[in-house]
Structures are given as structure tokens and as C-alpha cells.
Amino acid sequence: MAKTFDYDLFVIGGGSGGVRAARVAAQAGASVALAEESRYGGTCVIRGCVPKKLMVFASEYPGYVEDAQAFGWKVEAGSFDWPAFHDKMHGELDRLEGVYRKILSSNGVETFDSRARVKDPHTVELADGGTKSAKHILVATGGWPVRPDLPGAEHALTSNDVFHLKELPKSILVVGGGYIACEFAGILNGLGVEVTQFYRGAQILRGFDSEARGLISEEMIQRGVDLHLGTNILEMAETEDGFRVKASNGTERTFGQVMFATGRSPNTGNMGLEDAGVKLGRRGEILVDEYSQTNVPSIYAIGDVTDRVNLTPVAIREGMAFVETVFKGNPTPVDHDLIPTAIFTQPEFGTVGLSEEAAREQEPIDVYCTSFRPMQEAFAGRADRVLMKLVVAKESRRVLGCHIVAPGAGEMIQLAGIAVKMGATKEDFDRTVAVHPTMAEEIVTMAEPIRSA
Ligand code: NDP
């Protein structure tokens, strides 16, 4: 007789990936349970993309007021009321958490507001010691910010904490040069905090297109971020006024706060995974195949805990592909190729495909690139420049990479991403009539390559 289980699927983790997988599996007829130890919505909704983007919006208003003045409006910026914004932002997060809970309950997913760990390939143990059995277990526990191993670092902020500050500091040191460091440097600078940023490498946003990285760092500096490249913290100590920091460039200064944006680690600690036989990688990530299946056939994992491409929409896709594979009899590998993404730096960065540097390693290329002051910013007297760039394969003429640094670049790259994913050639871009007058029209009007390699 076939073994019976409490559920067809037990999902551990109620973030974007876990909730989507639970809902879609339930809609496909599976009996599903989900456990979440913190808040529903996970990193994206509670301590990531959503509150971050709301803070980006808030931080851009001083610039809009200056622009409005340049366009003839008699307006004054006034001051920023952090407590009022903070409370409203958390009200919105509460609302969204409610939406996530409702999605689960209305689809018949049983939820446990509890930590859960894997006991064996078909059993999950809840924090109260109770156990539940399931034919399949899906681990979607995400990741968590890490601080460097430095005395005093435990008192500094991470991105998790910034959303809960009672008041904004007068000054802050942001450490790191990745997505989170660069986004928060811009946000806090816009909100009136004196921002210093230390990045240990030669240029921020390692791995992305060099020309785009260069323009973003120039613009960040021009907007007031005191960016120090090739610099790291050597020592830090908490003082009455904040943190006294000794830097690798020989300087010593006090900052109101220090924020580490030095990467994130998969949440696999004390999850019982190794005891259940699940293989982890060097960084603690769960190793999975293209169907998100671990080496233990009944256990799958999706999202940041697998440390593949750590983005919300990717976790969601991995969740959908898992359900197709396991519950709909349609084995579906996850397509991680040509993922468009936006980094909400100021200026914003939208990118899809290969950087010029990576493409050059792959095959001969032509590079089309233009950088200019857009109409609205130029009229307002801003020095801001935007960049539009296409990296094109010399032989096939396929667009291998598209990189945009501009206001609204995230919106633009979503659409350009479709063309690049479809395999569009430079000539396909050229055949498309420009939308005038826009910034984005430049992406279809670049006639000659600026260089070939
Ligand atoms: P990243 O891995 O992107 O960046 C970490 C940064 O910290 C790097 O600049 C790294 O330097 C630096 N660093 C690491 N260790 C140390 C150390 N000991 N001392 C000093 N510097 C250090 O991580 P993030 O935390 O910024 O973001 C995590 C992921 O979250 C991103 O990769 C992205 O996938 C996702 N994300 C996506 C967003 C979006 O879609 N807009 C927004 C935010 C996050 P080095 O380059 O030298 O290694």
C-alpha cells in the first residue's frame, strides 16, 4: 500500500518564491502547508525590494522640487518627516503581508506561523516539536545579510535595520559596492543624510558593464555621495556620537551610523538539511539541479537559499517551474539566461545580457554607445548624463547586451529585455521607428559602432 502523508507539499518559507509555489501547487489540486517563522512576504516585501523602492521614491523628491523651480514653479522643498514616512511605509508593508496571507488561505494552503526544519526526507519539524509529513518538501528560506568579521561590526546596521530606524542619522558610512550598498547610498543621500561609501575594489557594481559602472559612480559622487574606492574598514568602535572608524586609506572619522551591505548568506543554518542528507555548497547554499531538486529526491529548494540568481522574479519562476515539474507532470527546467534587472541607484541602471567585457571574451563584437544630457535634466540645469549601450555580436549581429543608465532605466530594460531574449539583431533595433522625443529613442538610432573588439 502506498505510504500516506499529511500533505503532498510542505513549503518552508513564506517569501515570494515559497508563497507562489504553495499557491500554484494548491491550485493544481495538491494538499499544501507552509511554515513561516517571521512575516509573510519575505525579504522582498518586508525588508527588501518593496520598502527599498518606497524609500527611493521618497529620496527623489528634493530633486523634483529643484527641477520644478527650474521649470518656473515657485515651490520650496521644506523638510523631510522620517517618522511620518516610516509609519506610512510600515502600514503599507502590513497591508501587503495581509495580501500574502490571504493568497494562501483563500487557496486552501494551511499555514504555520512557526520556524520549521527538515527532520528527514519526508518530515518537517515545527518549533513546538510537532512534526508533519509530506510527499515533497520545498525549502524557500531565502538569505540574510552578513557583516564582516570585525570587532564592533555587530553594532552596525544592515539593510534589514535601515527600515526600522527611529530617526535618520546625520551621517552614515555605507560599506560595500554591490546592489544594496549603492542603492542605499543614493537613498540616504537623497533623504539628506551625509553619506560616505567605502568599496574595497577598483569600481562599484563588480560584474556589470564597466562603462555603466563608471557613469553611475561619477553621478553618485556628483550628487553628493562621498565614495572612496579601494577602501575598507580596518577598525571600528562605538562612541557617544556614533562610530569611530579607522579606514584602510589612513583616515579616521566618526559617523552617526555604519551600514554593512557586504553580501548575503543562504538561510540554511540549523535547518536539519545535512542530517537529512541534503548537499550544501561552500557558501551554505542548497545545491539543486535545473529542476530545483536536491540530491534527496523528495526535497527541492528555490530562491536565494540556492544562491543561483538572487532576484525575486527568479525565485517566483523557480517556484512555478517546480510546480510544473512535480505536480503537473511537465518537467520544466528554470531558464536563467538573459535575465533583465534594474539597480535602483541614482541614476537608475537597467541591464540585460552580457557586459562589453564578458562579450569580448566570448566572440568579436561591435559596441554602440551614446551618453548625453536628456532634455528635461538639461533644461533644469542638471549636469546629469544618461547612457544607452548595445553590445552586438559581429558575426550574427545579435544584441548580446543592453545597458541603460537613466531615469526610468528599470522600466526601459523590461521592454528591451523582450527583444534581447527573442534574439533581436542590431538591425531589428534599427528597423524600429524611434519614439520622439524620448531618451529611449537613442537605443534605436545608434548608427555606427564606437568601437569593435
Ligand atoms: P553583493 O554580493 O551584490 O555585494 C556585496 C558587496 O560587499 C560587494 O561589493 C563586495 O565586494 C562587498 N564585500 C563583501 N565582503 C566584504 C568585506 N568583508 N568587506 C568589505 N566589503 C565586502 O550583495 P548585496 O548585499 O549588495 O546584494 C545581495 C543580492 O541581493 C544581490 O546580488 C542581488 O542579487 C540582490 N538584490 C537585488 C536588488 C535589485 O534587484 N535591485 C536590490 C538588492 C539586492 P566585492 O565586489 O569585492 O566582492
Side-chain angles (χ1 to χ4, degrees):
M1 207 174 81
K3 191 168 169 3
T4 56
F5 297 101
D6 295 333
Y7 305 100
D8 296 323
L9 172 65
F10 199 106
V11 181
I12 306 180
S16 305
V19 169
R20 177 61 67 92
R23 164 167 73 83
V24 184
Q27 285 171 344
S31 67
V32 184
L34 181 148
E36 166 59 56
E37 67 173 328
S38 174
R39 298 185 59 187
Y40 289 72
T43 298
C44 173
V45 175
I46 304 298
R47 57 190 87 83
C49 321
V50 173
K52 180 275 305 285
K53 189 88 189 270
L54 292 172
M55 285 182 72
V56 170
F57 291 138
S59 71
E60 287 177 338
Y61 282 96
Y64 295 149
V65 174
E66 278 175 23
D67 287 0
Q69 290 165 342
F71 276 82
W73 289 92
K74 301 269 178 270
V75 284
E76 295 298 327
S79 61
F80 178 59
D81 185 347
W82 166 257
F85 170 74
H86 170 276
D87 291 353
K88 190 155 186 221
M89 173 171 74
H90 284 281
E92 176 62 4
L93 304 187
D94 293 345
R95 186 185 72 78
L96 291 171
E97 183 180 12
V99 171
Y100 271 70
R101 282 184 183 273
K102 181 113 198 299
I103 285 171
L104 293 171
S105 61
S106 62
N107 283 288
V109 176
E110 190 172 348
T111 52
F112 297 92
D113 289 3
S114 162
R115 183 170 169 81
R117 58 198 299 281
V118 175
K119 190 155 187 273
D120 66 40
H122 290 287
T123 312
V124 166
E125 185 178 38
L126 299 173
D128 66 4
T131 58
K132 302 286 170 194
S133 65
K135 187 162 184 211
H136 302 282
I137 295 171
L138 178 68
V139 184
T141 48
W144 202 251
V146 286
R147 295 175 171 91
D149 190 11
L150 192 74
E154 66 278 11
H155 302 298
L157 307 173
T158 68
S159 56
N160 283 356
D161 310 306
V162 173
F163 307 116
H164 296 284
L165 287 172
K166 290 276 172 285
E167 56 186 29
L168 288 178
K170 191 168 165 309
S171 64
I172 193 164
L173 170 66
V174 178
V175 183
Y179 276 71
I180 297 182
C182 295
E183 289 184 342
F184 275 97
I187 289 169
L188 293 165
N189 178 54
L191 294 179
V193 180
E194 285 167 27
V195 178
T196 304
Q197 184 178 356
F198 287 177
Y199 173 52
R200 64 184 180 181
Q203 186 54 280
I204 54 168
L205 299 173
R206 182 165 61 82
F208 291 99
D209 187 85
S210 276
E211 218 162 4
R213 295 160 69 195
L215 179 62
I216 294 165
S217 81
E218 265 172 41
E219 295 279 332
M220 284 172 65
I221 292 167
Q222 192 174 290
R223 288 169 196 222
V225 174
D226 186 13
L227 174 63
H228 297 259
L229 299 173
T231 307
N232 210 347
I233 293 196
L234 287 182
E235 278 174 37
M236 60 185 290
E238 216 173 348
T239 67
E240 261 180 23
D241 312 320
F243 293 88
R244 188 84 193 144
V245 171
K246 228 186 232 179
S248 58
N249 61 5
T251 58
E252 202 172 325
R253 271 177 65 189
T254 297
F255 299 94
Q257 287 281 7
V258 173
M259 172 181 169
F260 286 109
T262 44
R264 294 171 60 85
S265 251
N267 277 331
T268 48
N270 193 25
M271 284 292 300
L273 290 158
E274 292 107 315
D275 291 344
V278 175
K279 280 202 187 121
L280 303 185
R282 207 170 44 85
R283 299 192 59 245
E285 75 278 16
I286 300 180
L287 299 176
V288 290
D289 67 10
E290 59 188 331
Y291 301 101
S292 300
Q293 189 174 29
T294 71
N295 60 308
V296 175
S298 58
I299 303 181
Y300 287 71
I302 56 166
D304 289 8
V305 76
T306 62
D307 200 18
R308 287 177 281 180
V309 181
N310 298 334
L311 299 170
T312 298
V314 175
I316 289 173
R317 287 195 163 234
E318 289 167 356
M320 307 273 279
F322 157 75
V323 174
E324 277 296 318
T325 303
V326 175
F327 294 101
K328 297 191 181 174
N330 175 27
T332 304
V334 184
D335 179 4
H336 287 114
D337 196 26
L338 292 172
I339 295 170
T341 184
I343 308 184
F344 294 96
T345 38
Q346 300 180 26
E348 205 168 297
F349 179 28
T351 177
V352 61
L354 298 178
S355 65
E356 178 180 340
E357 296 71 37
R360 217 191 283 144
E361 295 287 305
Q362 180 180 294
E363 61 188 289
I365 53 167
D366 287 328
V367 176
Y368 297 80
C369 186
T370 176
S371 179
F372 57 96
R373 288 171 76 200
M375 184 197 274
Q376 189 178 4
E377 281 74 7
F379 186 88
R382 289 203 201 198
D384 305 11
R385 299 184 75 75
V386 303
L387 175 127
M388 307 271 164
K389 178 166 179 177
L390 293 177
V391 180
V392 178
K394 220 178 200 1
E395 200 183 317
S396 68
R397 301 296 293 155
R398 262 187 80 156
V399 175
L400 302 174
C402 175
H403 312 285
I404 302 176
V405 179
E411 306 290 343
M412 293 183 213
I413 207 67
Q414 179 67 83
L415 303 179
I418 300 171
V420 175
K421 185 84 187 163
M422 288 176 74
T425 61
K426 174 69 171 69
E427 285 61 39
D428 291 323
F429 274 67
D430 294 347
R431 284 191 296 122
T432 308
V433 173
V435 177
H436 187 70
T438 65
M439 284 178 273
E441 67 183 304
E442 298 289 333
I443 212 79
V444 297
T445 55
M446 293 184 283
E448 296 298 327
I450 58 157
R451 60 184 166 267
S452 299

